[in-house]
Amino acid sequence: MLKLLVAASLAGALPAMAAETTLIKDVRVFDGQEMHARRSVLLEGGKIASADFKGKTPAGAKVVDGAGRTLMPGLIDSHTHSFQHLELPLVFGVTSELDMFTAVPLLQEMNGRMARGENKDRPDIISAGVLATVPGGHGTEYGMPIPTLTKAEEAQPWVDARIAEGSHFIKIVMEPGWPGHPVPSLDRATVKALIVAAHRRGKLALVHISNPEDARTALEEGADGLVHLFNGESMTEQDLKSFVKLAHDRKAFVIPTFSVLESVAGLKETDVLEDKQMMALLTSDQIAPLNSPYGKKEMAQRMNAARSVVAALRTAGVPVLAGTDAGNGGTQAGASLHHELLSLTGAGLTPLEALRAATSVPAKSFRLADRGVIAKGAKADLVLVEGDPSRDIKATRNIVEVWKDGATVSARRKAQQDLVARELNTPKGAPLVLPADGMISLFSKEKLASPFGTGWVPSNDAFLGGKSTVSLEYAGENAVQVKASVQQGFAFPWAGIAFVPGSQPFQAANLSAAKTLRFRVKGDGQGYQVGIMHGSARIPVYQPFAAGAEWREVAMPMASFAGVDTGAITLIMFNAGPKIGDYQFQIADVRLTNQ
C-alpha cells in the first residue's frame, strides 16, 4: 500500500500564525452534537473562552462575521498514515489525525511539538506509531525495519516498548492477504494477548481487519475498535445482525474507511476530483493518488456489505467514526475526509450524524477531551464554512477559515492556492523528443544504453530490506536476459529491470509525447508486471503481462496506467513478483511510440 517516508511538506516554510483574541459573531454553531441557529463564540489564548458569548466585544479582538455561515469543531480523520504533506489536511479543515502507523521519529517529533504548544501549522497527529504484526506480515512492506512478534508471551513487552516510544494507542494487524497472495498474520492467541496487554496499560487496542471472520474474532477478544470494515457484495441478514449485536455488546466503535474500501473496489472520489474549489488546493502530485485507486476495474457492488453494516451499526447505536486511510492509493490527506462524510451519508447516516462522526464521536472514542466540540476550555480548533452542512454535507467544503489552536490558517490556505495556481500557469518542460522508431532499449554486450536518461538498471527490493536478487545479461539482438529470484523478506517482493528516463534517479522526465509502451518478451510462462512511477509518488502504477515460450509483442497504452502523469515519469519497471520463486524472461525492443 503506502511507502512510509518521513518527508517535509510542500509548504513547510511558512511561519505559524499566532493565536489572537477572536470573536466569531452571529454564526450558526455545530457544537459537536447539535446545531444552534445563532451564537457568538469567543477565542482566547488558543482555547474557546465562551461557546455562547453575549457580552461586549473585548478590546482588540478580531471580529469575524458569521452571518449565513456555520462554525464547526476542527474535523478529525480517524484513520490516516501521516508521512508526507503534513500541513495539507489543515487547509481542508482537518485539525486532528488519528494515525494508524507511522515512523517512530515522526511520532516523537509530533509528540514534542504538541507538548510544547508548537503545532499550529499542522494537524495534531495522535498515533499508534508502529503496528503489531508478524515477520513478513502486513505492515512490514514499507521499507523501514519494525519490531514484530509471533507468540502471546511477547505481547506485553512489545506493547510496553511501543508506549515507551510514545504510542498513544495500540494497533494490531489481522491480515491474511487475498486470493493468490497469502500474507502471514498474527494468530488469535497473540491478538488476545496484545489486547489484554494494551488494556493493562490503559491504552486502547484497535484491530486492522479485512474480512468478517477476523472482525468477529477481534471483537470477541475485546478490541476497542475496528479500524476498517470489509469489501463484499452482500451479507446475510443473520450474519449482519449477529455482527452488529457483537459490536454493540462489546461497546466497540468502528471506522469503516469507505475511502480506501472504494479504492480497492476500483472507485474514484469523483466528487472531490470534480470539485473546483478542492482541486484549487491540490497540486498535480497530490491529485495523482486520487486518480490511482487500487482496483483496476470498477466494482461498485463490492461496497454493498460495508454500507449495509454501517446502516445497521447506526441503527444499533454503535459509534461510527469518519476515517479515510489517507496515504493510500485513491485517497489524499484532508480532501478525502470530505468524501468520507459524503460516503457515510450514502450509507444511511444523516448529515448531522456524519458531522458527529468527524468531531465529537472520535474525540470521545479516543478519549480526547480537549477537542471535537465547541465548548468552554476546548482547543480552538475550528472550521467556518458557508452554508449549513447539517442540511447538505458538501457544505463542509465551503471553507471560509480554519483555526488551529486559535491561530488562523488563512496564510497556509493562500500559499497552497498560490502554489497550485503557479503550477497550472507554469508550462512544463517541453516533451522529450522520442526517437523516430521509439526505441529506448539500445542493448549491447558492452552497455544497456538508452537514447536519453540514466538508462537501464537492475531493480529489486533490496533497498527496502528485501532479499530478492536479479542478474541482467545481454542475450543478443537488442535483448536482455533477466534472471530474478523473488524471495521472502519484504511483503511485496520484486526483482527485474528498470528504465530511468531522467538524467539522475527520480528526476522526472516529460514523456507526454509517448502514447504507447511497446516491447517484445519471452520467458518461463509466468506472470510479470510493468510498473510506472511519476512525480513525487513512490507507489508504482502497475499493468500485468505474461512471458511465454515464444517471442510476442506487448503494447500497453500509457493511458492504461491510471493516474500517471506522463509529463513527470521517474521510472519504468519490468518486474517479477510478488509470488515467491525463480523467474526468467527476456525483454527486447522496448519502445515509447506516439501512437
Side-chain angles (χ1 to χ4, degrees):
M1 288 201 162
L2 73 156
K3 177 176 170 60
L4 294 173
L5 298 173
V6 180
S9 164
L10 200 51
L14 276 176
M17 296 295 292
E20 59 185 344
T21 299
T22 303
L23 181 63
I24 306 161
K25 291 190 66 175
D26 302 326
V27 67
R28 186 185 300 109
V29 173
F30 170 65
D31 66 5
Q33 281 294 324
E34 304 298 335
M35 193 70 79
H36 304 276
R38 184 177 178 181
R39 285 187 172 182
S40 294
V41 177
L42 181 66
L43 316 182
E44 289 180 342
K47 303 286 186 181
I48 297 173
S50 175
D52 190 12
F53 184 76
K54 299 183 185 300
K56 183 180 178 181
T57 302
K62 179 181 179 181
V63 178
V64 178
D65 182 12
R69 297 167 172 173
T70 301
L71 187 68
M72 311 182 297
L75 300 175
I76 302 172
D77 190 332
S78 294
H79 188 142
T80 69
H81 295 282
S82 304
F83 63 101
Q84 63 178 350
H85 308 314
L86 296 180
E87 294 91 348
L88 184 62
L90 272 188
V91 307
F92 292 102
V94 176
T95 56
S96 296
E97 295 181 294
L98 300 171
D99 175 88
M100 296 294 162
F101 178 25
T102 199
V104 172
L106 178 58
L107 163 71
Q108 295 175 341
E109 179 204 352
M110 286 301 303
N111 285 350
R113 287 169 60 98
M114 292 187 293
R116 295 188 301 270
E118 298 173 355
N119 199 48
K120 293 181 175 63
D121 58 339
R122 297 181 187 174
D124 290 345
I125 298 177
I126 298 154
S127 179
V130 174
L131 45 70
T133 191
V134 297
H138 179 55
T140 64
E141 67 267 38
Y142 302 135
M144 60 186 203
I146 65 170
T148 57
L149 69 168
T150 57
K151 52 189 177 183
E153 300 92 302
E154 299 170 323
Q156 193 67 63
W158 190 96
V159 166
D160 291 347
R162 304 292 74 72
I163 295 172
E165 288 172 346
S167 295
H168 295 262
F169 50 88
I170 300 301
K171 181 186 174 185
I172 303 160
V173 172
M174 299 185 74
E175 178 54 72
W178 56 92
H181 185 65
V183 176
S185 185
L186 293 166
D187 61 25
R188 182 169 187 149
T190 307
V191 169
K192 179 178 181 178
L194 284 162
I195 293 170
V196 170
H199 290 168
R200 187 176 289 126
R201 300 295 187 248
K203 298 293 184 182
L204 294 173
L206 312 181
V207 182
H208 162 110
I209 57 88
S210 61
N211 60 68
E213 296 75 25
D214 284 344
R216 287 193 63 92
T217 296
L219 294 173
E220 288 167 355
E221 296 301 350
D224 297 291
L226 302 178
V227 303
H228 290 292
L229 276 177
F230 34 80
N231 290 96
E233 295 188 13
S234 63
M235 202 170 176
T236 69
E237 190 68 22
Q238 180 179 352
D239 287 346
L240 179 61
K241 287 182 177 179
S242 173
F243 176 74
V244 171
K245 183 178 186 302
L246 178 61
H248 178 271
D249 292 350
R250 297 305 172 100
K251 296 181 171 54
F253 59 83
V254 176
I255 310 169
T257 60
F258 279 118
S259 296
V260 82
L261 293 183
E262 291 169 7
S263 174
V264 172
L267 306 176
K268 292 184 181 181
E269 297 181 4
T270 54
D271 58 296
V272 173
L273 290 165
E274 294 173 359
D275 188 320
K276 291 182 179 179
Q277 63 184 348
M278 297 188 82
M279 289 297 99
L281 290 165
L282 294 171
T283 65
S284 59
D285 279 354
Q286 292 163 349
I287 292 169
L290 293 168
N291 280 312
S292 305
Y294 287 126
K296 302 309 175 189
K297 178 182 178 182
E298 289 190 11
M299 295 184 290
Q301 69 275 14
R302 296 286 295 162
M303 294 302 303
N304 293 345
R307 291 195 183 102
S308 64
V309 171
V310 168
L313 291 171
R314 173 204 178 245
T315 300
V318 175
V320 173
L321 284 61
T324 62
D325 209 356
N328 281 292
T331 70
Q332 186 50 269
S336 287
L337 187 60
H338 296 276
H339 172 77
E340 190 74 19
L341 295 175
L342 183 64
S343 292
L344 287 172
T345 61
L349 272 67
T350 66
L352 196 65
E353 290 167 339
L355 293 175
R356 293 173 187 152
T359 54
S360 60
V361 175
K364 181 179 180 180
S365 297
F366 280 83
R367 306 169 184 170
L368 305 173
D370 62 347
R371 71 196 72 203
V373 295
I374 296 180
K376 183 177 180 178
K379 281 164 62 73
D381 291 357
L382 300 164
V383 186
L384 181 66
V385 301
E386 295 284 0
D388 183 355
S390 69
R391 295 180 179 274
D392 177 7
I393 196 63
K394 283 189 174 182
T396 61
R397 308 169 189 212
N398 303 330
I399 294 174
V400 176
E401 184 56 280
V402 179
W403 289 267
K404 176 65 170 60
D405 291 322
T408 67
V409 182
S410 298
R412 177 72 54 192
R413 283 176 56 82
K414 180 65 164 56
Q416 183 71 12
Q417 289 170 336
D418 290 347
L419 182 68
V420 173
R422 284 197 304 272
E423 180 186 68
L424 292 174
N425 292 325
T426 302
K428 291 182 178 178
L432 286 172
V433 177
L434 301 174
D437 60 0
M439 189 74 70
I440 61 172
S441 60
L442 306 179
F443 300 153
S444 69
K445 190 173 183 179
E446 289 73 31
K447 188 177 181 181
L448 303 183
S450 60
F452 57 85
T454 303
W456 294 85
V457 296
S459 167
N460 64 13
D461 55 28
F463 76 100
L464 293 176
K467 299 178 180 178
S468 301
T469 60
V470 62
S471 66
L472 308 180
E473 183 178 345
Y474 180 62
E477 298 183 2
N478 197 31
V480 170
Q481 176 86 16
V482 181
K483 295 182 179 179
S485 177
V486 178
Q487 302 180 24
Q488 292 283 4
F490 180 72
F492 296 90
W494 84 89
I497 185 172
F499 172 59
V500 184
S503 59
Q504 55 186 310
F506 290 113
Q507 182 181 69
N510 188 338
L511 301 183
S512 58
K515 305 305 179 187
T516 306
L517 171 65
R518 302 176 185 274
F519 56 96
R520 293 194 306 125
V521 67
K522 72 174 182 177
D524 53 14
Q526 300 192 73
Y528 296 87
Q529 300 178 85
V530 174
I532 297 182
M533 294 171 64
H534 63 110
S536 63
R538 295 295 178 262
I539 305 173
V541 178
Y542 287 109
Q543 287 292 332
F545 69 92
E550 303 296 329
W551 283 107
R552 74 180 185 99
E553 182 175 82
V554 177
M556 294 182 173
M558 298 299 284
S560 68
F561 293 88
V564 165
D565 178 3
T566 56
I569 289 180
T570 56
L571 202 64
I572 302 176
M573 303 181 290
F574 301 81
N575 290 338
K579 181 182 175 183
I580 303 303
D582 293 330
Y583 295 79
Q584 201 169 157
F585 70 96
Q586 289 186 34
I587 187 167
D589 300 337
V590 186
R591 303 169 188 258
L592 290 170
T593 63
N594 59 11
Q595 55 184 331

